[in-house]
């Protein structure tokens, strides 16, 4: 196949400075995003999913966060070495992001039309009139009914699903090569969520946009992504094709993430065995970066070595990899 | 669903409305009918789930059942007790019989109280050692360590806080526990721990749950019966297996078809019954079936007459003109 890698992250290390000291919130992370694909990034809260996205966007929280090592190649250019000005340029034109909370990222004092048109004027260099007309087209494209009227609405006058569509419209305004969607449907009703999924899917089909989808929902992963990557405590623990990983996860954490959720099925029976539990919680940030498997305390399969050394990445073929001392044993 | 004799909780034709801001001083008073004639019952030891989209009236129903807000019509019976008819004094005495577990484990606990005192809050006055014994028991039941009794809420993780909330709800040995989105704020791993705990406690102590959740996987795992609400009304009401195996109402169909399956062989697109548009304005509900404007099979009648919730031959209840008595959905 050999599609050009649009984004190539290599040995990325992001450090956060907190009261407890300096911790690698992203610890030696490597992955690539291929042109036109959807890659899902999953993991529990606090595992570093949003931080990964912010590092790519050059939007790490200032001054606590900084890139301490590695590279992020976008079409061959290393963004880690790029100037602020260049990053701003890329953010407007090549990579855009739908943030986790739509209400906080839309400006309440401007109409949605003004907010979309502003992006178009700034990044596409459109004139007032053209920007306004294109804003209406975009609202139409993301499925807002009666866009010519709704373009004058303020964010609070829209439903949660409509605001999320507006966010997508803004993210699409500059025709990005890469769209990073951070939990784009978490706060929405399932019926609305389904509409947004279809919207993203159609969009990708029409424009070939590459999508990095951040989610904690395996259902969303199966709906939208071809490949997936699982993060735990700042590290990649598994990656591979969605079908392969869901059918036969190699890392105990991935296995737990899939099994602990009661997935709705079409033909339930009377039997309802207890859910599989992953005991405990994600370790605190100050433990990130330790020279051992950070999942060991919660893992039923751990052996002595797990507490002594960081597991190496094992390749299971067809791009399926896992970082677990026991992954090859099964 | 449950015959009246064995029902622990029976709700009949419950109605709650909120006054809307009047357009002018002389304009007639207008209301938002958030719960518009809801009836259901739950047998002891069972779980009834209420599902439906945001704003459909799930929380309002639960609050009205527990008399935390006022219903303007209908009845709520907890066994012999006529809940809506109680005077202030009697209501206070009855309060311990229904307890709440809320969605947000952060804001629902008093930050200034120690965990032991939070859990003991709903207990009636009693000797200190008796009280301590109950608290010890509850801490053990929800999987918290004895020494954690002295800690304050901010010293617990989200899942642990939810465990405190559950222990507090169980303290007065209530007849009914109302769980409003009890795991929505929790991470998936912790969610599994809390759901298992809720089911263990139910089978160990014969607890009865009114369970509200927007997550249909969670609901399928937890419930015995399920009521689907749309804009203040129940549109379908059935036992767990019937509802998931043979959903009849077009809205129920749409809802279930929208849930992403964790099975890469059944990707969304084809299977899905997509809903167009948004739900109608609850302050101006349509005259006929409230779902008609978004329903793929709506007929003229649907736009004119509101369908009543009927009991079909198989005991499933549904409010749709086009579902047959033999439980055949208009969607096939
Ligand atoms: N501005 C900040 N200052 C200090 N620590 C932060 C900051 N933002 C995030 N963190 C910490 O960094 C870690 C990773 O956070 P991140 O937001 O990437 O998690 P996530 O995987 O996106 O989680 P979620 O699913 O909750 O969104 C967490 O421990 C978080 O508390
Ligand atoms: N105190 C109130 N005053 C006025 N309107 C209210 C009040 N509480 C709820 N409503 C309205 O009543 C309707 C039902 O709200 P309710 O909170 O019961 O919905 P829900 O089904 O629990 O939704 P969600 O899934 O978002 O929690 C909504 O239209 C809501 O805006
Ligand atoms: S490395 Fe060890 S502790 Fe870590 S996931 Fe694998 S078996 Fe479990
Ligand atoms: Mg995040
Ligand atoms: Mg609610």
């Amino acid at each position: 196949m050999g599609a050009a890698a649009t984004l190539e992250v290599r040995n990325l290390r992001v450090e956060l400075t907190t009261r407890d000291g300096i911790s690698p919130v992203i610890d030696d992370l490597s992955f690539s995003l291929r042109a036109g694909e959807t890659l899902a990034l999953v993991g529990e809260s606090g595992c570093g999913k949003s931080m990964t996205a912010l590092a790519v966007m050059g939007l790490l929280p200032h001054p606590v966060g900084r890139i301490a090592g590695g590279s992020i190649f976008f079409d061959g250019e290393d963004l880690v070495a790029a100037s602020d000005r260049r990053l701003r340029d890329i953010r407007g034109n090549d990579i855009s992001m739908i943030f986790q909370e739509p209400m906080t990222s839309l400006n309440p004092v401007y109409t949605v039309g003004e907010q979309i048109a502003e992006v178009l004027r700034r990044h596409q260099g459109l004139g007032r009139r053209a920007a306004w007309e294109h804003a209406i087209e975009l609202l139409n494209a993301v499925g807002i009914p009666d866009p010519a009227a709704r373009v004058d609405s303020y964010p609070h006058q829209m439903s949660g699903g409509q605001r999320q569509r507006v966010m997508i419209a803004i993210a699409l305004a500059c025709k990005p090569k890469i769209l990073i969607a951070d939990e784009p449907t978490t706060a929405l009703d399932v019926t609305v969520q389904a509409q947004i999924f279809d919207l993203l899917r159609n969009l990708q089909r029409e424009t070939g946009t590459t999508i990095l989808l951040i989610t904690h929902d395996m259902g969303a992963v199966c709906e939208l992504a071809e490949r997936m990557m699982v993060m735990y405590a700042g590290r990649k623990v598994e990656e591979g094709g969605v079908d392969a990983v869901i059918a036969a996860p190699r890392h105990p954490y991935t296995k737990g993430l899939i099994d602990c959720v009661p997935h709705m099925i079409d033909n339930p029976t009377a039997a309802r065995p207890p859910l599989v539990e992953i005991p405990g919680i994600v370790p605190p940030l100050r433990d990130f970066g330790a020279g051992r498997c950070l999942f060991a305390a919660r893992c039923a399969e751990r052996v002595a070595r797990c507490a002594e050394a960081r597991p190496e990445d094992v390749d299971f073929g067809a791009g399926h990899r896992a970082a677990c001392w026991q992954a090859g044993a099964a | 669903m449950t015959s009246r004799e064995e029902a622990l909780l029976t709700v009949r034709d419950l109605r709650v409305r909120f006054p809307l801001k009047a357009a002018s001083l002389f304009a007639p008073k207008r209301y938002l009918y958030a719960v518009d004639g809801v009836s259901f019952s739950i047998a002891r030891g069972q779980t009834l789930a209420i599902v439906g989209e945001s704003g459909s009236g799930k929380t309002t129903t639960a609050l009205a059942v527990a008399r935390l807000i006022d219903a303007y019509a209908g009845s709520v019976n907890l066994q012999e007790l006529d809940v809506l008819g109680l005077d202030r004094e009697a209501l206070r005495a009855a309060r311990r019989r229904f307890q709440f577990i809320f969605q947000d484990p952060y804001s629902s606990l008093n930050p200034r109280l120690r965990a032991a005192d939070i859990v003991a809050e709903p207990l009636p006055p009693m000797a200190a050692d008796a009280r301590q014994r109950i608290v010890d028991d509850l801490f053990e039941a929800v999987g918290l360590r004895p020494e954690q009794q002295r800690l304050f809420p901010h010293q617990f993780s989200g899942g642990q806080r939810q465990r405190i909330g559950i222990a507090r709800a169980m303290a007065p040995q209530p007849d009914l526990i109302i769980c409003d989105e009890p795991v929505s704020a929790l991470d998936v791993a912790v969610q599994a721990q809390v759901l298992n705990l809720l089911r263990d406690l139910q089978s160990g102590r014969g607890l009865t749950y009114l369970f509200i959740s927007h997550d249909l996987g969670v609901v399928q795992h937890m419930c015995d019966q399920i009521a689907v609400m749309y804009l203040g009304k129940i549109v379908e009401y059935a036992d767990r297996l019937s509802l998931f195996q043979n959903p009849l109402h077009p809205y129920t169909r749409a809802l279930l078809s929208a849930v992403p399956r964790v099975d890469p062989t059944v990707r969304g697109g084809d299977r899905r019954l997509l809903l167009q548009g948004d739900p109608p304005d609850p302050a101006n509900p349509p005259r006929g079936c409230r779902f008609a404007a978004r329903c793929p099979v709506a007929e003229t009648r649907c736009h004119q007459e509101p369908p009543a919730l009927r009991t079909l031959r198989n005991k499933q209840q549904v409010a749709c003109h086009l579902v047959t008595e033999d439980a055949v959905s208009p969607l096939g």
Side-chain angles (χ1 to χ4, degrees):
Chain A
M1 305 263 285
T6 310
L7 192 75
E8 176 89 41
V9 172
R10 270 193 225 147
N11 307 107
L12 183 67
R13 181 180 174 90
V14 173
E15 291 179 349
L16 286 186
T17 307
T18 66
R19 270 183 308 179
D20 293 331
I22 296 178
S23 312
V25 66
I26 307 289
D27 186 7
D28 197 19
L29 178 71
S30 299
F31 68 94
S32 59
L33 194 55
R34 301 170 197 157
E37 80 167 344
T38 298
L39 171 68
L41 175 48
V42 303
E44 280 167 283
S45 187
C47 280
K49 305 182 298 295
S50 294
M51 221 38 96
T52 302
L54 294 176
V56 170
M57 296 289 290
L59 291 175
L60 286 173
H62 190 76
V64 286
R66 69 175 196 105
I67 293 181
S71 12
I72 302 171
F73 290 106
F74 168 69
D75 275 348
E77 176 185 358
D78 189 358
L79 301 185
V80 172
S83 67
D84 281 352
R85 183 147 167 237
R86 176 69 187 130
L87 282 175
R88 233 181 348 257
D89 195 43
I90 287 177
R91 275 203 297 277
N93 295 311
D94 299 305
I95 308 180
S96 41
M97 180 158 170
I98 306 170
F99 292 90
Q100 209 163 342
E101 276 128 32
M103 211 37 199
T104 53
S105 29
L106 284 174
N107 191 329
V109 304
Y110 293 105
T111 65
V112 299
E114 286 164 338
Q115 298 188 53
I116 301 172
E118 153 74 10
V119 176
L120 291 167
R121 280 203 305 272
R122 194 152 34 110
H123 294 288
Q124 305 265 84
L126 295 188
R128 261 181 184 286
R129 185 68 188 259
W132 192 253
E133 270 158 22
H134 194 47
I136 295 174
E137 277 165 31
L138 278 166
L139 286 178
N140 186 43
V142 296
I144 300 274
D146 198 5
R150 297 313 298 253
V151 72
D152 289 316
S153 304
Y154 290 90
H156 74 267
Q157 294 171 315
M158 306 190 116
S159 71
Q162 288 173 335
R163 283 198 292 264
Q164 197 57 288
R165 283 158 196 270
V166 170
M167 288 300 301
I168 294 175
I170 290 175
L172 296 179
C174 58
K175 304 202 182 79
K177 294 188 180 137
I178 298 176
L179 177 65
I180 302 179
D182 193 355
E183 305 272 9
T185 60
T186 302
L188 303 177
D189 281 319
V190 285
T191 49
V192 182
Q193 173 180 309
Q195 294 170 352
I196 303 277
F197 285 166
D198 285 0
L199 173 63
L200 288 173
R201 214 188 339 256
N202 291 338
L203 191 116
Q204 184 168 48
R205 200 173 299 145
E206 283 156 25
T207 60
T209 312
T210 305
I211 300 179
L212 178 63
L213 172 74
I214 298 177
T215 178
H216 64 270
D217 178 1
M218 288 294 168
V221 174
C222 292
E223 285 278 308
L224 289 178
E226 288 94 48
R227 290 197 308 126
M228 65 190 282
M229 172 165 112
V230 184
M231 279 185 81
Y232 188 74
R235 297 172 181 175
K236 179 176 77 181
V237 295
E238 182 154 6
E239 95 175 290
V242 170
D243 298 11
V245 174
I246 297 285
R250 294 289 185 158
H251 197 287
Y253 180 60
T254 313
K255 224 173 277 175
L257 271 188
I258 296 169
D259 291 343
C260 73
V261 177
H263 303 294
M264 195 192 91
I265 52 175
D266 293 314
N267 275 303
T269 60
R272 277 178 279 171
L275 299 169
V276 171
E277 291 185 20
I278 312 176
I281 53 171
V282 177
L285 198 51
R286 61 173 179 273
D287 288 355
F288 284 34
R292 53 183 150 88
C293 173
L294 291 172
F295 186 61
R298 307 172 73 185
C299 181
E301 292 172 45
R302 69 172 168 265
V303 291
R305 180 154 58 149
C306 306
E308 289 155 10
R310 177 173 176 167
E312 284 156 20
D313 223 14
V314 182
D315 193 338
F316 296 94
H320 190 170
R321 313 166 71 85
C324 162
W325 290 121
Q326 297 287 82
Chain B
M1 221 63 11
T2 334
S3 69
R4 207 188 171 125
E5 296 74 56
E6 48 172 337
L8 174 84
L9 179 78
T10 307
V11 173
R12 293 214 180 270
D13 200 32
L14 189 69
R15 290 167 192 269
V16 182
R17 63 185 181 191
F18 297 109
L20 291 168
K21 251 203 228 95
S24 80
L25 205 53
F26 307 104
K29 236 188 156 86
R30 288 178 61 240
Y31 294 96
L32 185 157
Y33 292 88
V35 177
D36 199 23
V38 159
S39 304
F40 57 82
S41 60
I42 319 177
R44 185 178 286 283
Q46 299 263 301
T47 300
L48 170 76
I50 304 182
V51 302
E53 59 201 342
S54 183
S56 58
K58 307 180 293 295
T59 297
T60 307
T61 300
L63 293 172
V65 164
R67 263 190 76 175
L68 293 172
I69 54 172
D70 287 330
Y72 73 92
S75 67
V76 174
N77 285 85
L78 193 67
Q79 287 174 309
E80 78 301 339
L81 198 68
D82 171 12
V83 176
L84 300 191
L86 297 175
D87 60 32
R88 216 167 247 285
E89 200 61 24
L91 178 63
R92 194 166 17 228
R95 266 278 140 76
R96 66 147 201 89
R97 296 181 60 179
F98 17 55
Q99 293 291 311
F100 255 92
I101 299 170
F102 296 97
Q103 165 169 0
D104 187 355
Y106 302 91
S107 62
S108 62
L109 305 179
N110 183 339
R112 275 185 279 277
L113 290 185
R114 292 181 194 277
D117 296 324
I118 291 174
V119 169
E121 243 182 330
L123 288 174
M126 62 173 74
D129 58 335
R131 189 183 168 93
Q132 187 57 49
R133 259 198 312 278
I134 295 177
V135 172
D136 288 345
D137 263 4
L138 290 167
F139 264 68
E140 189 181 338
V142 300
L144 292 169
R145 292 191 306 277
E147 70 271 18
Q148 292 177 303
Q149 290 185 21
R150 300 193 40 77
L151 303 180
F152 291 96
H154 73 267
Q155 294 169 295
F156 291 91
S157 70
Q160 289 172 329
R161 273 183 263 217
Q162 201 54 300
R163 284 172 199 266
I164 296 173
I166 293 169
R168 174 179 62 184
M170 290 192 328
Q173 296 187 287
D175 292 307
L176 177 73
I177 297 187
I178 299 172
C179 310
D180 191 357
E181 302 277 4
V183 294
S184 316
L186 304 177
D187 237 321
V188 288
V190 179
Q191 169 181 299
Q193 297 162 11
V194 170
L195 292 177
N196 282 346
L197 173 64
L198 285 172
R199 288 198 57 204
D200 287 349
L201 294 171
Q202 177 165 48
S203 52
R205 303 183 175 221
L207 294 176
T208 307
Y209 295 140
L210 176 60
F211 192 93
I212 296 172
S213 175
H214 69 275
D215 182 329
L216 284 142
V218 168
V219 164
Q220 187 178 67
H221 183 72
M222 296 297 288
C223 76
D224 300 296
Q225 275 89 41
I226 169 168
V228 182
M229 283 187 79
Y230 189 80
L231 223 62
K233 286 186 183 294
I234 292 180
V235 296
E236 185 157 5
Y237 180 23
D239 65 73
R240 169 175 175 268
L241 292 184
S242 306
L243 191 114
F244 285 104
Q245 289 173 353
N246 187 29
L248 295 173
H249 195 283
Y251 174 66
T252 313
R253 282 286 179 94
L255 188 66
L256 297 187
S257 78
V259 176
R261 308 299 200 267
V262 179
D263 178 351
T265 59
V266 282
R267 284 200 197 222
D270 344 313
R271 174 203 79 226
R272 198 174 283 145
L273 183 65
L274 256 199
L275 283 188
Q276 301 303 324
D278 286 319
D281 177 0
N284 274 311
R287 183 155 56 109
C289 172
R290 295 181 169 198
F291 185 60
R294 302 169 82 192
C295 180
V297 290
E299 297 177 352
T300 318
R301 177 161 57 134
C302 305
H303 293 280
Q304 290 164 348
E305 292 166 42
L309 189 68
R310 311 172 272 141
T311 306
L312 309 180
R313 270 195 272 280
N314 70 355
K315 296 284 183 282
Q316 208 155 334
Q317 295 185 21
V318 62
C320 166
H321 291 305
L322 304 182
V323 172
T324 72
E325 287 300 309
D326 296 320
V328 177
S329 166
L331 289 154

